[in-house]
């Protein structure tokens, strides 16, 4: 769900290590989830998505895990690189929210990932 | 995905003036666009949903008379911040709705009101 006014948690990792970024959502009706990466002063970039009928999806160096029982989402980044340093947001949407148009996205509060060389 | 641009990338205006931000979809027919606001170190807050040729739908707490949205074509939506005040200083980001649930984001516009 929305997280207005909350400041970002941070995660620092060494280059080459794996990173795990977590996200809790509140709306049990949400059925589509997306992870975005946002670099400083830029708009969000799509990383990976997952539908509620799945519990795991893999991309290039990234894996998203969905646990609907506890309403938890995680993003795993393998062999983290300095270029991965950014803020990572999870976003959720409810397909029933669409009507005749696409559903609105609700962003989590984000996590600042810093990768040290 | 769609390529989305915003103009200007940053703007400084005086309190009480109005400023217009443009969001363009360069290679995708943007039937639906979204406008977000982001304060430093905070998440994106959806302000409004903009549909081509119709009135925008504003989120609760967003003043429609202050944040004027026009979406007159499939390639352009504009956000006008009227009578801007320092508390309106923020990072404004637009997005274009894709064919499914995805959204393609613009690079954002940094507004500073002095």
């Amino acid at each position: 769900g929305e997280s207005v006014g909350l400041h970002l948690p941070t995660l620092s990792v060494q280059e080459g290590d794996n990173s795990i970024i977590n996200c809790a959502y509140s709306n049990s009706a949400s059925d589509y989830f997306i992870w975005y990466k946002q670099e400083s002063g830029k708009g969000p970039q799509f990383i990976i998505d997952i539908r509620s009928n799945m519990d795991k999806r893999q991309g290039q160096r990234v894996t998203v895990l969905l646990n609907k029982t506890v309403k938890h989402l995680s993003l795993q980044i393998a062999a983290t690189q300095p270029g991965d340093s950014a803020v990572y947001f999870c976003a959720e949407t409810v397909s029933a929210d669409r009507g005749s148009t696409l559903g609105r996205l609700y962003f989590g509060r984000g996590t600042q990932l810093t990768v040290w060389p | 995905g769609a390529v989305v641009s915003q103009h200007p990338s940053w703007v400084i205006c005086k309190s009480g003036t109005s400023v217009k931000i443009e969001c363009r979809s360069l290679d995708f027919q943007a039937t639906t666009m979204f406008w977000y606001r982001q304060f430093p170190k905070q998440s994106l807050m959806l302000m409004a949903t903009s549909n081509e040729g119709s009135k925008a739908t504003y989120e609760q707490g967003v003043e429609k008379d202050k944040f004027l949205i026009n979406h007159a074509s499939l390639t352009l939506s504009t956000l006008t911040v009227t009578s801007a005040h320092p508390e309106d200083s923020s990072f404004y980001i637009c997005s274009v709705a894709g064919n499914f649930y995805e959204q393609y984001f613009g690079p954002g516009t940094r507004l500073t009101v002095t």
Side-chain angles (χ1 to χ4, degrees), chain B residues 28-72:
Chain B
F28 189 87
Q29 291 194 330
T31 305
T32 301
M33 288 182 167
F34 301 90
W35 285 96
Y36 295 84
R37 180 168 52 181
Q38 185 178 33
F39 293 107
K41 297 193 182 300
Q42 294 188 19
S43 188
L44 282 75
M45 294 167 44
L46 180 64
M47 299 176 66
T49 302
S50 165
N51 292 301
E52 186 262 338
S54 62
K55 290 183 179 180
T57 302
Y58 290 82
E59 294 297 299
Q60 191 172 6
V62 177
E63 301 174 58
K64 62 180 181 181
D65 295 329
K66 180 172 182 61
F67 298 100
L68 302 178
I69 292 173
N70 183 281
H71 190 168

Side-chain angles (χ1 to χ4, degrees), chain B:
Chain B
V3 177
V4 181
S5 69
Q6 284 184 237
H7 178 79
S9 55
W10 61 270
V11 57
I12 302 173
C13 70
K14 292 187 176 180
S15 187
T17 62
S18 296
V19 60
K20 181 186 288 187
I21 301 170
E22 294 183 348
C23 177
R24 292 185 183 274
S25 178
L26 302 181
D27 58 355
F28 189 87
Q29 291 194 330
T31 305
T32 301
M33 288 182 167
F34 301 90
W35 285 96
Y36 295 84
R37 180 168 52 181
Q38 185 178 33
F39 293 107
K41 297 193 182 300
Q42 294 188 19
S43 188
L44 282 75
M45 294 167 44
L46 180 64
M47 299 176 66
T49 302
S50 165
N51 292 301
E52 186 262 338
S54 62
K55 290 183 179 180
T57 302
Y58 290 82
E59 294 297 299
Q60 191 172 6
V62 177
E63 301 174 58
K64 62 180 181 181
D65 295 329
K66 180 172 182 61
F67 298 100
L68 302 178
I69 292 173
N70 183 281
H71 190 168
S73 78
L74 290 174
T75 60
L76 175 65
S77 176
T78 60
L79 169 69
T80 301
V81 183
T82 62
S83 187
H85 289 101
E87 57 264 32
D88 298 323
S89 298
S90 188
F91 194 51
Y92 291 86
I93 308 171
C94 70
S95 72
V96 169
N99 290 323
F100 190 56
Y101 293 105
E102 71 273 26
Q103 292 183 24
Y104 306 105
F105 286 85
T109 296
R110 174 76 57 195
L111 170 63
T112 302
V113 184
T114 61

Side-chain angles (χ1 to χ4, degrees), chain A residues 72-113:
Chain A
H72 183 268
L73 199 64
S74 69
L75 176 70
Q76 300 177 3
I77 305 174
T80 315
Q81 303 167 1
D84 294 327
S85 294
V87 177
Y88 290 81
F89 292 99
C90 65
E92 60 184 295
T93 190
V94 180
S95 62
D97 204 16
R98 295 173 68 180
S100 60
T101 62
L102 290 165
R104 296 169 293 177
L105 282 178
Y106 296 99
F107 281 78
R109 63 179 184 163
T111 296
Q112 172 72 59
L113 173 66

Side-chain angles (χ1 to χ4, degrees), chain A residues 1 10 15 17 25 27 32-33 56-57 62 80 86-87 90:
Chain A
T10 59
E15 181 179 0
D17 288 350
Y25 64 95
N27 190 347
Y32 181 66
F33 305 87
K56 180 179 180 178
R57 190 163 188 226
V62 295
T80 315
V87 177
C90 65

